[in-house]
Amino acid sequence: LSSRLLHTLAGAFLAYCVCIVRDSRACARSAAPSLSTTTAAAARPSAAELASPPLRPSAAFRTASSPPPEQADTAWCSSSPPTTGSELSVKDVAFGILTAKNLVQSRVHAQQLSWLPQARDVVFYSEADLEALQPTVALEPPPKEELVGGGAWKNFPALMDLHKRFPRHAWIFFCDDDTYVYMGNLLAMLGSYHEERDWYIGLYWTPRIDMEWKEVHIAYASGGAGYALSRPMLARLSETMPQCHTRYTRWAGDIRVGKCVNDLGVRVRAEAGFHHESHDKYEWDNTGGGHPYGHLSHKASAHKRPPITFHHLQPTQLELYYRMQFVRHRRPDGAVEAYDFGEFMLREFSGYSPQLRQHVRLLFGFSVELSGGGPRDAPNWRKDFSDPLYLRRLSADESSGEASFSLVVAKVPNVFDGDGCDVPLADTHRAPARQAADVRLQCTPCASAMVG
């Protein structure tokens, strides 16, 4: 990208940054602009959203074209830093993770190197006791289980064990070993709910029309995307789960949990932010992702709430999400600061460069898109740069004033195989072999967006 466009990006894409220092106190510095900036407290559902959506069976995702992103007439600037709206912390949530012996050195290891160290109370559940992974609880299927090999039977005994281990925790969060969790975003979402009520929260899902839908017509929370149970909800479930464990033996594990919850008269609480797949399987825009969020659709959005989870991830993808979320920086005195950009992931920021006649759109952390034309022309976005490389803090001689960061997203090679690093520099037809968009981020107490 040219230096002029880099200056445009530097002016247009200011962002909040949250600095987590060694003593775990969070200092938030607000900055400018977003097309729509919300806090967790503002994301409480309206009365209309509380109404149950039509119950439809799941099939293959339906793809729909995304409308043009919203454009901001003026920059928005808050006089106070964003808050979670709650004092909820990691000590209030216990985590249960489903895994298997052959996945410990790949998936689980990647979780341990990424988001999992932020959790305090974690238990792994498998078909066998794993010495290399502690604490691990070995589970056994019910006598008449019909899907022994698939592990669908693990949910109930795992939840019963979590209830016994952590009876005082406000929440239990349950997910798979190929799930990435944005811890701060999860806590902010749970903190917007009254923990003393019966809550079963997650990604709204329904059985597949060619499978379980033939037997059970319910909505449930996708297990892979992760779901949360409040303490009262899990206490009520603990009384009926033994019967559910022996009665429901032929469905997917998350459907079984949803049916057992439904038997108690409680329905799944659909929440934005949970994702059944990785980010690149969705079309991201500012429409909010629909209601119920993510169901029967390829659309996703960080407009209402930032991402909470992604699922079906390879170990390298788990590392990617962590690399683009956190920046660690060693100060001259030796202390290490960790900057958490989790609440801005995949938020949309856009601007226009009159010098280059280019619209520029940033999906924070993951892609930069360009569109030529005049300022009033409807953008036709080209996903030129969608290979996240790194997010780092600039050194002292590169920045001034408040903390500055560089977010680098590369251009995905489409002319040659690989990443272009081995292309001979003398080959003028392929030079430059590797291009990247460098987005400069500046954390300031309060600043307006400037373009140009």
Side-chain angles (χ1 to χ4, degrees):
L1 291 179
S2 71
S3 60
R4 283 185 296 175
L5 186 52
L6 289 181
H7 285 302
T8 298
L9 291 171
F13 304 137
L14 304 176
Y16 294 112
C17 75
V18 178
C19 158
I20 304 174
V21 294
R22 286 190 305 169
D23 60 1
S24 300
R25 292 176 300 176
C27 62
R29 304 167 188 167
S30 63
S34 69
L35 297 183
S36 178
T37 304
T38 59
T39 63
R44 290 179 181 271
S46 64
E49 289 176 315
L50 288 172
S52 298
L55 194 62
R56 298 175 182 173
S58 294
F61 275 145
R62 294 199 296 254
T63 303
S65 59
S66 302
E70 302 171 10
Q71 297 295 326
D73 295 329
T74 58
W76 180 93
C77 193
S78 172
S79 60
S80 60
T83 62
T84 62
S86 171
E87 295 298 326
L88 198 68
S89 69
V90 291
K91 65 181 179 59
D92 299 311
V93 184
F95 292 80
I97 298 178
L98 286 183
T99 188
K101 183 178 181 180
N102 61 320
L103 298 174
V104 173
Q105 296 303 320
S106 55
R107 294 180 180 179
V108 175
H109 183 62
Q111 285 187 327
Q112 291 174 321
L113 294 177
S114 56
W115 69 269
L116 203 52
Q118 300 170 76
R120 176 175 174 177
D121 297 308
V122 183
V123 182
F124 298 92
Y125 295 94
S126 178
E127 72 284 351
D129 187 12
L130 307 176
E131 294 184 2
L133 186 64
Q134 295 295 328
T136 301
V137 177
L139 306 176
E140 294 184 1
K144 297 182 180 180
E145 173 62 41
E146 299 183 41
L147 301 174
V148 175
W153 49 270
K154 295 178 183 178
N155 285 255
F156 286 131
L159 290 174
M160 287 187 278
D161 179 75
L162 286 169
H163 174 65
K164 293 177 182 178
R165 286 175 181 264
F166 308 108
R168 297 184 180 278
H169 282 57
W171 297 90
I172 295 294
F173 188 78
F174 204 68
C175 66
D176 289 350
D177 55 8
D178 59 347
T179 304
Y180 187 89
V181 178
Y182 288 91
M183 186 68 70
N185 299 343
L186 172 65
L187 296 177
M189 183 275 295
L190 294 179
S192 66
Y193 286 86
H194 197 295
E195 63 195 46
E196 295 302 327
R197 295 178 58 186
D198 292 341
W199 291 113
Y200 168 47
I201 305 172
L203 175 64
Y204 182 100
W205 219 241
T206 51
R208 284 183 50 170
I209 193 171
D210 58 337
M211 297 178 66
E212 294 94 340
W213 183 261
K214 299 176 181 179
E215 299 181 16
V216 55
H217 292 193
I218 63 166
Y220 63 96
S222 167
Y227 58 86
L229 295 165
S230 63
R231 178 172 51 203
M233 183 74 260
L234 188 59
R236 289 184 63 192
L237 269 179
S238 66
E239 300 176 0
T240 61
M241 278 192 292
Q243 293 76 29
C244 293
H245 188 44
T246 57
R247 185 185 309 153
Y248 304 138
T249 59
R250 53 184 291 120
W251 308 326
D254 45 11
I255 297 179
R256 303 182 193 194
V257 174
K259 182 65 170 69
C260 201
V261 172
N262 192 268
D263 292 343
L264 295 174
V266 179
R267 288 179 290 186
V268 59
R269 178 76 171 117
E271 260 294 354
F274 293 93
H275 301 92
H276 190 67
E277 302 291 342
S278 58
H279 77 280
D280 54 345
K281 300 297 192 299
Y282 298 90
E283 296 176 8
W284 292 83
D285 59 39
N286 259 2
T287 62
H291 181 74
Y293 181 86
H295 188 244
L296 299 178
S297 173
H298 266 307
K299 285 190 175 183
S301 176
H303 173 74
K304 178 181 178 181
R305 190 182 295 284
I308 296 173
T309 64
F310 289 107
H311 180 226
H312 285 151
L313 303 178
Q314 297 297 322
T316 53
Q317 290 177 298
L318 289 163
E319 191 273 336
L320 163 67
Y321 288 125
Y322 181 76
R323 186 175 73 239
M324 300 309 292
Q325 177 186 358
F326 286 101
V327 176
R328 281 181 162 73
H329 172 73
R330 186 176 296 278
R331 300 195 316 230
D333 61 3
V336 176
E337 295 176 327
Y339 297 85
D340 182 5
F341 288 86
E343 67 173 299
F344 304 101
M345 291 296 113
L346 291 157
R347 285 246 315 259
E348 180 182 313
F349 299 84
S350 67
Y352 180 77
S353 170
Q355 298 95 333
L356 299 177
R357 291 183 59 80
Q358 288 278 353
H359 295 269
V360 186
R361 177 182 185 233
L362 168 70
L363 286 181
F364 194 98
F366 291 95
S367 70
V368 174
E369 302 175 31
L370 304 176
S371 177
R376 297 185 181 277
D377 295 337
N380 182 22
W381 298 114
R382 307 187 313 273
K383 297 184 179 180
D384 293 37
F385 301 87
S386 56
D387 183 13
L389 294 183
Y390 60 81
L391 177 62
R392 67 182 177 88
R393 190 171 190 259
L394 297 176
S395 59
D397 59 345
E398 296 181 87
S399 62
S400 61
E402 299 290 340
S404 298
F405 301 85
S406 178
L407 193 163
V408 178
V409 183
K411 189 170 186 176
V412 177
N414 54 11
V415 179
F416 41 79
D417 296 331
D419 62 4
C421 296
D422 296 329
V423 175
L425 296 180
D427 188 345
T428 57
H429 296 287
R430 294 183 175 181
R434 187 71 160 168
Q435 295 177 321
D438 185 358
V439 182
R440 301 299 173 94
L441 310 172
Q442 180 74 50
C443 296
T444 60
C446 189
S448 298
M450 300 298 294
V451 178

